Amino acid sequence: MPSSAPTRATAARTIPEGEVALTSALGRVERTRLWSHPELGLHAVVDATGSVRLGTPDQNWATLVPLVEVTATGHGRLWSGERFIETAIGDRLAYRGHETVQDQSLERTTIRLADGVTGLAADVTLEASAGAGFLRARVRLVNEGSTPLRLESVTTLTLGGIADRRDGLDGLTLHWADNDWLAECRWRQAAFRDQVVPLSRSAHGHEGRGCFERYSQGSWSTGRHLPIGALTDREGRAWLWQIESSAGWRFETGEREGAAYVALCGPDDAHHQWHHTLAPGQEFHTVPAVLVRTEAGGLDGAFGELTDYRRGIRHDHPDLRALPVIYNDYMNTLMGDPTTEKLLPLIEAASAAGAEVFVIDAGWYDDDAQGWWDSVGAWEPALHRFPGGIQEVLDAIRRHGMTPGLWLEPEVVGVRSPLARTLPPEAFFRRGGVRVTEHGRHHLDLRHPAARAHLDSVVDRLVGEWGVGYLKLDYNINIGPGTESNLESAGAGLLGHHRAHLDWLGSLLDRHPGLVLENCGSGGLRMDYAQLAVTQLQSTSDQQDPLRYPPIAAAAATAATPEQAAVWAYPQPDQSLDEIAFTLTGALLGRIHLSGFLNLMSEEQFGLVRSAISVYKDIRPEISDARPFWPLGLPAWEDEWIAHGLRRAKSTFLMVWRREPCRGGNDPAQSRHDQNGQADISRTLTIPHLTGTHVSPTVLLPMTAGATAEWDAAAGELTVSLPRANTAVLLRLSSLSSD
């Protein structure tokens, strides 16, 4: 047993200066507070045995969970089940010191733990900023023992003792988001007790064996769910969490001693085929996770704090302040069939409409009679598509005052591509010694120098030689659990590749500081903050039906900051003015991905497009520091009325959609009619942060929908009328002086 890894029994110690001793009624020191976060009301506390737990000061110790939970082969759980808490190693991990470092506004505390049986050391780093309502955590594990240890799961952050002050667990509501291709950011909610039922613990003497869990599957990190969840209570408190992983992740919540707990993890063996063997002296770092806790404001307040946090961890880039208007030729337009002849009129029209970036999407490299899907990899321009060379088109984009962009799917190589034969076998994902194939593609492992050198040469050619300033980086296959290299597990290989991928993305921005990177995963199937901390934009969906886009657009700010959330606006010449305004307006509180055959529009139609872009340019300086809110709550997929807003200290913007009633809506009030059977053309929205304020609502766009808005200052309510279904309106709510 290493002397540096004390057992729980030997962890008693003298309280260092500045720490707080928590005494029992008999005056004995039972626990010591090591660390505090005043805004969150959280404390890390160590007891006399050395166990460290995170919670609020008034919580029963038994409701809390160890700061780190670990399962390893030969060291499982103390109570068998599906939960990743109550682990043998987590129960044994004992305090052996901590330190705090101040880095400008960020305070970073590392709490050091050790297991005397295995020699496993765990350094838990907790990061927080003064005045901010978030806590970010990471864990570093080191094998200080004499034998290898095979890890099977590790929590990044655990928190127990969550309970509604008034009604206990009966007053908690659980929130999570389902995600799918064309149907992203679909938030659900249920009473906590509907998902974690009471089991009469007093009758059995044990907790349950199950929990509520959500997790990723394969290499689409958000192909099933967003790595985000929340608990709220009836008093407006919220606990909101986010896991930052492009590989595997999992969260769970359940009951422990009459309170709720949350455990946030990266990949694990049961769900992601991840296990990681630590030889003596080796270390492993978990993926980061963040917890937001607010005392008021519910989900809106918590997402406001999370938005601020996300802005603080990103790679700084001028695009995040400039928010240029992007035209992309793909959606409902060229659909992967670009040519010089088709692009030149679109370039002229996009420039005239006010676009500042023009992206040539998929197909520009398609020079194969059998199709491009399974032949990609070299990323050379198709000669038959660009008889005068692709530079002719890129030069035309620049002449019209726009930055040229290209679509790229860097991590894949088609099975018919020459690169599938010329790159070494070790440069590709393999399982069981066989190269993995999915939907006609192989997958590069960016830990291999040949794979990285190939992609470096591609990007340096496109950006450095061709002058491309924007890359749309797509990802259209789910390669499964990962890659097995030597003795590593598939899940460990996937995590290793994704960490190399993030490093590669960062290196591109180091070499080409002005380059803008869009994160696209077949729409929004890799919408996580491992990726979004590096890339500037996030594709929110591939949804082609403008009537299906509003719930995605409205909820996109839960998954990405508004200035990173790219929403398609694809007006067409065969659409009515209402239809054109509907698709344009929905993108104005995020990032515009303009598309459509603008060159074929009438003067009136094109004028509406220009008007929308002009409005966006007027308001975009206020988007990049605004917080999102949802006056009607987060939308359900079939909701008739949907609302999403952005708020700043002195200005508020509100987007309201009214769609035709759909079957299956979750809101019984969605399809209300008046006493004469006429459709309800108005909806009243509560906007608490403006209650008591004199406000003037102004319609910014469109002027053709007949929208009106009336403000009740005393109630803090805005009544919005849209006389026709399938219309939308963007409003500015301006505060008036009270003189």
Side-chain angles (χ1 to χ4, degrees):
M1 180 188 304
S3 60
S4 59
T7 64
R8 289 270 293 276
T10 62
R13 62 193 184 87
T14 303
I15 302 167
E17 184 178 355
E19 296 181 8
V20 179
L22 307 177
T23 61
S24 70
L26 298 177
R28 292 192 296 268
V29 175
E30 294 186 338
R31 299 182 194 103
T32 304
R33 191 166 67 214
L34 306 174
W35 167 92
S36 296
H37 189 310
E39 285 74 26
L40 293 179
L42 293 179
H43 307 277
V45 178
V46 58
D47 72 358
T49 71
S51 179
V52 179
R53 304 186 183 193
L54 191 65
T56 55
D58 57 348
Q59 286 303 140
N60 179 353
W61 178 260
T63 68
L64 306 182
V65 290
L67 191 58
V68 182
E69 297 276 22
V70 181
T71 61
T73 306
H75 305 268
R77 301 171 180 85
L78 298 175
W79 177 241
S80 189
E82 297 179 1
R83 293 148 50 124
F84 283 12
I85 63 167
E86 297 163 330
T87 63
I89 291 177
D91 186 63
R92 295 195 304 257
L93 284 170
Y95 174 81
R96 66 176 185 182
H98 73 283
E99 61 187 18
T100 298
V101 176
Q102 191 75 30
D103 182 8
Q104 296 180 351
S105 64
L106 186 69
E107 182 182 275
R108 184 180 296 111
T109 296
T110 300
I111 299 174
R112 307 191 187 282
L113 311 170
D115 172 25
V117 175
T118 62
L120 183 68
D123 292 348
V124 185
T125 299
L126 305 175
E127 296 178 344
S129 294
F134 73 84
L135 174 65
R136 192 186 200 213
R138 289 172 292 177
V139 178
R140 171 180 173 263
L141 298 180
V142 182
N143 186 351
E144 297 181 352
S146 58
T147 59
L149 185 65
R150 186 178 183 267
L151 304 172
E152 295 181 353
S153 70
V154 186
T155 62
T156 294
L157 182 63
T158 59
L159 177 69
I162 300 172
D164 179 82
R165 288 171 176 159
R166 182 175 55 187
D167 299 315
L169 296 182
D170 292 339
L172 288 180
T173 299
L174 176 62
H175 308 261
W176 72 96
D178 294 338
N179 215 59
D180 198 357
W181 186 56
L182 311 180
E184 291 84 352
C185 302
R186 298 186 336 273
W187 279 87
R188 308 294 183 93
Q189 70 176 50
F192 183 83
R193 277 307 191 197
D194 286 348
Q195 302 294 322
V196 181
V197 298
L199 299 176
S200 186
R201 185 188 186 285
S202 60
H204 303 93
H206 288 289
E207 298 288 359
R209 300 186 188 272
C211 59
F212 178 90
E213 64 176 2
R214 288 294 180 265
Y215 53 89
S216 64
Q217 184 176 45
S219 58
W220 277 332
S221 61
T222 56
R224 295 160 56 93
H225 311 284
L226 295 182
I228 312 166
L231 291 169
T232 57
D233 69 13
R234 293 168 180 168
E235 297 179 12
R237 295 192 301 170
W239 297 260
L240 174 66
W241 57 85
Q242 168 182 284
I243 305 171
E244 296 160 15
S245 174
S246 294
W249 60 265
R250 176 182 176 273
F251 69 74
E252 70 175 70
T253 182
E255 182 176 3
R256 177 183 170 89
E257 296 285 352
Y261 75 90
V262 173
L264 311 180
C265 307
D268 65 78
D269 193 26
H271 301 87
H272 310 99
Q273 298 184 32
W274 178 90
H275 55 81
H276 186 91
T277 299
L278 279 184
Q282 290 185 337
E283 62 183 52
F284 171 75
H285 296 255
T286 67
V287 301
V290 64
L291 173 74
V292 168
R293 182 175 182 266
T294 58
E295 282 292 324
L299 272 186
D300 282 5
F303 273 116
E305 289 286 347
L306 185 61
T307 300
D308 291 347
Y309 161 79
R310 288 167 169 172
R311 287 170 173 149
I313 65 169
R314 297 180 309 201
H315 177 99
D316 186 38
H317 197 286
D319 175 83
L320 297 168
R321 295 177 290 276
L323 313 191
V325 175
I326 301 155
Y327 182 95
N328 182 299
D329 69 27
Y330 186 83
M331 191 60 70
N332 292 350
T333 309
L334 299 187
M335 299 297 291
D337 187 27
T339 65
T340 300
E341 181 181 10
K342 294 176 180 178
L343 286 167
L344 291 180
L346 290 176
I347 291 168
E348 183 175 358
S351 175
E356 295 152 307
V357 177
F358 190 102
V359 179
I360 305 172
D361 207 279
W364 60 269
Y365 40 79
D366 179 17
D367 214 5
D368 191 305
Q370 299 180 55
W372 59 265
W373 181 264
D374 59 359
S375 65
V376 296
W379 309 111
E380 295 286 354
L383 297 179
H384 78 281
R385 292 184 174 277
F386 309 105
I390 196 171
Q391 280 295 349
E392 177 185 3
V393 179
L394 299 178
D395 288 344
I397 294 171
R398 281 186 284 266
R399 280 199 312 273
H400 283 84
M402 297 181 291
T403 298
L406 288 177
W407 180 96
L408 195 66
E409 195 169 359
E411 293 165 82
V412 301
V413 170
V415 295
R416 294 192 300 109
S417 171
L419 285 159
R421 298 180 293 277
T422 58
L423 286 173
E426 297 80 13
F428 295 94
F429 274 35
R430 295 175 297 165
R431 292 198 289 272
V434 178
R435 187 183 299 187
V436 180
T437 303
E438 175 71 10
H439 197 178
R441 273 101 177 272
H442 302 308
H443 197 293
L444 292 172
D445 187 341
L446 283 181
R447 295 173 296 177
H448 195 282
R452 182 155 176 165
H454 159 62
L455 292 184
D456 279 343
S457 67
V458 168
V459 173
D460 289 346
R461 169 166 47 87
L462 303 185
V463 178
E465 298 177 20
W466 296 7
V468 169
Y470 184 109
L471 289 177
K472 176 178 178 175
L473 302 179
D474 212 340
Y475 187 72
N476 286 302
I477 61 171
N478 188 333
I479 203 62
T483 179
E484 299 165 343
S485 178
N486 299 320
L487 297 177
E488 76 177 351
S489 65
L494 182 63
L495 180 59
H497 159 74
H498 276 304
R499 285 175 164 168
H501 178 230
L502 296 173
D503 182 74
W504 176 70
L505 293 174
S507 74
L508 298 184
L509 297 175
D510 290 340
R511 293 203 307 278
H512 307 287
L515 177 65
V516 176
L517 300 177
E518 176 192 337
N519 182 42
C520 179
S522 200
L525 301 187
R526 204 158 67 170
M527 191 158 38
D528 61 76
Y529 260 86
Q531 300 273 112
L532 283 169
V534 184
T535 58
Q536 286 68 63
L537 287 94
Q538 172 65 54
S539 170
T540 56
S541 187
D542 282 348
Q543 177 58 249
Q544 292 177 249
D545 183 349
L547 295 179
R548 285 294 188 190
Y549 217 129
I552 302 171
T558 64
T561 63
E563 64 273 18
Q564 289 180 282
V567 175
W568 287 103
Y570 29 55
Q572 300 294 351
D574 60 353
Q575 292 177 339
S576 68
L577 292 181
D578 274 355
E579 290 171 327
I580 290 173
F582 190 88
T583 185
L584 286 168
T585 309
L588 297 184
L589 292 186
R591 295 297 295 273
I592 296 180
H593 266 180
L594 185 64
S595 197
F597 290 103
L598 308 183
N599 56 310
L600 302 179
M601 286 185 164
S602 70
E603 183 176 343
E604 186 178 23
Q605 291 173 321
F606 192 72
L608 184 53
V609 175
R610 285 180 55 88
S611 175
I613 300 304
S614 177
V615 167
Y616 181 75
K617 289 181 178 180
D618 285 342
I619 69 173
R620 65 184 172 184
E622 301 181 72
I623 293 176
S624 58
D625 64 352
R627 286 181 161 195
F629 69 100
W630 295 268
L632 295 176
L634 290 170
W637 187 244
E638 304 288 359
D639 281 354
E640 179 184 354
W641 288 85
I642 295 171
H644 161 50
L646 296 180
R647 56 175 293 194
R648 304 173 74 234
K650 296 183 179 180
S651 58
T652 296
F653 298 97
L654 186 64
M655 179 71 232
V656 182
W657 295 263
R658 179 193 164 200
R659 300 187 293 175
E660 289 181 340
C662 300
R663 293 181 180 178
N666 293 337
D667 182 356
Q670 284 297 308
S671 300
R672 296 182 303 186
H673 291 72
D674 64 20
Q675 59 185 357
N676 298 317
Q678 299 297 311
D680 187 349
I681 65 170
S682 299
R683 184 53 49 96
T684 297
L685 294 74
T686 301
I687 307 178
H689 72 273
L690 292 178
T691 300
T693 304
H694 295 287
V695 167
S696 173
T698 303
V699 174
L700 297 181
L701 197 84
M703 302 303 178
T704 58
T708 61
E710 296 182 4
W711 175 246
D712 183 335
E717 293 179 344
L718 182 74
T719 300
V720 178
S721 296
L722 285 167
R724 298 186 300 280
N726 298 333
T727 55
V729 63
L730 175 64
L731 300 161
R732 180 195 287 270
L733 307 181
S734 303
S735 300
L736 303 176
S737 61
S738 57
D739 54 9

